[in-house]
Amino acid sequence: MAIELGNYSEEELNAILKEFKIVQKEYSFKSLTAGYINDTFLVFSEEKPLFILQRINHKVFENIEGLMMNINRAFKHLKGVDYNQIKLMPALSGKAYVSHKSGYWRVMTYIANSTTHNTTTEPEIAFEAGRIIGKFHILLANEPLEHYTDTIPKFHDLELRKMQFLAALARASEEKKEIAKNAILFSQDMLVKLTSMHSSHLPQRVCHNDTKLNNILFSRETKKALCLIDLDTLMTGYFHFDFGDAIRTIVNTAPEDEQEHSKITFEKYLFEAFLDGLASNDSFLTHEEIKALPYGVLLMPFLHGIRALTDYLNGNIYYKVAYENQNLDRCLSLFDFTKKALSNSDYMKKVLFEKLKSSEY
Ligand code: GN1
Ligand code: MG
């Protein structure tokens, strides 16, 4: 297969696979380019997809050992009638990854006939997304938090993201600040708003922390959700993180970097379908957690937006970008969604109350 493999040749990728306990033969590869952080390849044998081979971005994830231990632990519990298990293929060394001169690599099983969606307009998909995220949390609910490493400490911490934004702003050129003027003003305003909304008394859980729609695998045939993928950010967090990240990518029928803002939506029928899916599980959320969900729907797009803005101001040092202003465009889209979510705050509270049955709003 003559396919573009980015910085790697087929020989190099095959040499990495030789360090894993899998059938030894010459494989072919397809690069999967949806992520902003890792390098991901689908591994084929005679046209049949068998594994996912992935180079973990060591600059972003400094503690590879801790990260892989988190995933190993969680994978043991992430299985069941309505949840497809993914397995890590061990390296010859017995570890779950190999350290190679080009970085840290891992191999996982590929689920046949699976697919992902970047966006959706289908209520069945939104329902299934809600169901599988609830299931994920139920399967991990009894895991001791102290067994899990923070792979990126304070990943969704508003205060940290504010400090990083202010530091980038202080160093940025006048020209960049002028171009990003509206985004900077919106950030300053939202930082005040969100800080005042922050609620305490919430239980911590083992969270996925990157539950955007395309991190959920679906069956091509039945449209059922199979499982969550991309568990690098699996660590302690609050349920509203996972809720907000899913909602921002499900009720918005446009991609997260949509530049035509009139296409960015907050579709109520998808919000409600997601809640129905979540509620199809046994109930597991506390009253306080349910109350914090609308906050999560504002917090998550805003956090991603301010992180993209910070990276734009810093000169694109964190996310992979395809063009110079991509981070700013992503920020503006994410902020536009945040505004649309804000105008739906009362609606969200009402429907959450109806669907998840938490009283006393
Ligand atoms: C990054 O590379 P990817 O798509 O898995 C980011 C997430 C964002 C996402 C898209 C470690 O994840 O937080 O949701 O881009 N992951 C990290 O906005 O920063
Ligand atoms: Mg990710």
Side-chain angles (χ1 to χ4, degrees):
M1 248 184 270
I3 303 182
E4 189 55 61
L5 294 175
N7 300 325
Y8 311 97
S9 68
E10 208 158 90
E11 293 67 42
E12 281 171 301
L13 297 179
N14 266 308
I16 294 159
L17 285 182
K18 296 221 162 33
E19 297 185 41
F20 285 89
K21 288 186 195 163
I22 59 173
V23 175
Q24 291 303 329
K25 54 162 102 165
E26 291 304 299
Y27 292 96
S28 58
F29 305 87
K30 184 178 167 222
S31 170
L32 303 179
T33 53
Y36 293 98
I37 307 289
N38 295 327
D39 299 321
T40 309
F41 303 90
L42 191 50
V43 181
F44 292 82
S45 167
E46 279 129 37
E47 318 266 300
K48 211 173 139 213
L50 290 184
F51 303 110
I52 294 287
L53 168 67
Q54 203 165 40
R55 177 180 176 272
I56 314 161
N57 185 326
H58 183 40
K59 244 175 87 185
V60 168
F61 298 104
E62 292 174 4
N63 181 359
I64 302 281
E65 182 71 26
L67 177 152
M68 291 306 294
M69 273 171 42
N70 283 355
I71 298 181
N72 233 340
R73 268 182 207 286
F75 271 175
K76 294 201 176 85
H77 302 277
L78 292 170
K79 59 179 175 189
V81 209
D82 290 325
Y83 198 104
N84 272 62
Q85 189 175 29
I86 295 181
K87 287 183 183 156
L88 282 163
M89 305 309 287
L92 297 179
S93 66
K95 285 196 174 206
Y97 62 94
V98 302
S99 128
H100 192 260
K101 61 178 183 314
S102 56
Y104 295 87
W105 294 82
R106 66 182 168 213
V107 176
M108 285 163 288
T109 48
Y110 173 77
I111 301 180
N113 296 318
S114 60
T115 188
T116 54
H117 303 284
N118 291 326
T119 57
T120 192
T121 51
E122 296 179 70
E124 297 88 334
I125 296 289
F127 178 98
E128 278 297 304
R131 181 189 65 76
I132 206 81
I133 289 173
K135 186 82 188 178
F136 176 94
H137 274 270
I138 290 171
L139 290 171
L140 294 179
N142 295 326
E143 281 292 273
L145 299 181
E146 63 276 16
H147 286 175
Y148 288 81
T149 304
D150 282 347
T151 57
I152 303 181
K154 297 182 185 260
F155 188 46
H156 293 323
D157 186 284
L158 188 62
E159 202 49 39
L160 172 74
R161 299 309 182 186
K162 175 180 160 183
M163 300 318 287
Q164 292 174 335
F165 162 66
L166 293 176
L169 195 58
R171 284 191 305 257
S173 68
E174 288 308 316
E175 192 198 344
K176 276 200 164 141
K177 284 194 278 192
E178 181 57 31
I179 296 172
K181 194 168 70 193
N182 290 340
I184 293 169
L185 285 173
F186 181 72
S187 297
Q188 287 159 339
D189 182 38
M190 272 313 276
L191 280 166
V192 176
K193 239 188 211 111
L194 288 172
T195 307
S196 75
M197 281 174 76
H198 183 74
S199 54
S200 42
H201 312 302
L202 293 170
Q204 294 203 312
R205 296 179 181 275
V206 179
C207 290
H208 179 286
N209 290 305
D210 193 11
T211 45
K212 51 187 183 154
L213 179 59
N214 64 12
N215 272 338
I216 300 175
L217 275 193
F218 287 85
S219 157
R220 272 183 203 281
E221 283 143 20
T222 65
K223 291 198 181 165
K224 274 191 70 108
L226 301 172
C227 60
L228 270 66
I229 55 172
D230 186 10
L231 270 59
D232 295 333
T233 50
L234 183 110
M235 61 184 135
T236 302
Y238 297 108
F239 183 74
H240 64 259
F241 295 163
D242 283 358
F243 184 81
D245 247 345
I247 293 300
R248 77 177 176 89
T249 50
I250 290 171
V251 309
N252 174 12
T253 57
E256 72 166 20
D257 58 354
E258 176 62 60
Q259 289 182 49
E260 213 177 294
H261 291 183
S262 62
K263 291 190 181 155
I264 297 175
T265 61
F266 187 106
E267 295 294 350
K268 293 180 176 174
Y269 74 99
L270 295 171
F271 185 74
E272 289 167 30
F274 181 88
L275 289 185
D276 286 337
L278 188 61
S280 72
N281 293 290
D282 292 342
S283 65
F284 64 97
L285 296 168
T286 67
H287 173 70
E288 288 300 325
E289 282 178 299
I290 296 173
K291 264 176 76 174
L293 296 181
Y295 167 73
V297 178
L298 304 179
L299 178 72
M300 298 315 293
F302 176 71
L303 275 180
H304 289 301
I306 199 169
R307 286 174 60 201
L309 175 60
T310 301
D311 201 36
Y312 167 77
L313 294 171
N314 281 335
N316 306 326
I317 53 176
Y318 183 85
Y319 297 108
K320 292 187 209 167
V321 289
Y323 58 93
E324 171 70 18
N325 282 3
Q326 190 182 10
N327 266 314
L328 181 61
D329 287 343
R330 267 185 68 225
C331 157
L332 292 172
S333 314
L334 287 155
F335 283 179
D336 186 79
F337 178 78
T338 310
K339 287 176 201 158
K340 286 171 180 158
L342 198 55
S343 66
N344 278 294
S345 295
D346 289 340
Y347 159 78
M348 285 195 275
K349 281 184 198 160
K350 183 173 147 283
V351 182
L352 279 162
F353 167 69
E354 285 164 13
K355 303 257 184 211
L356 302 181
K357 300 191 180 55
S358 169
S359 55
E360 295 166 47
Y361 264 108

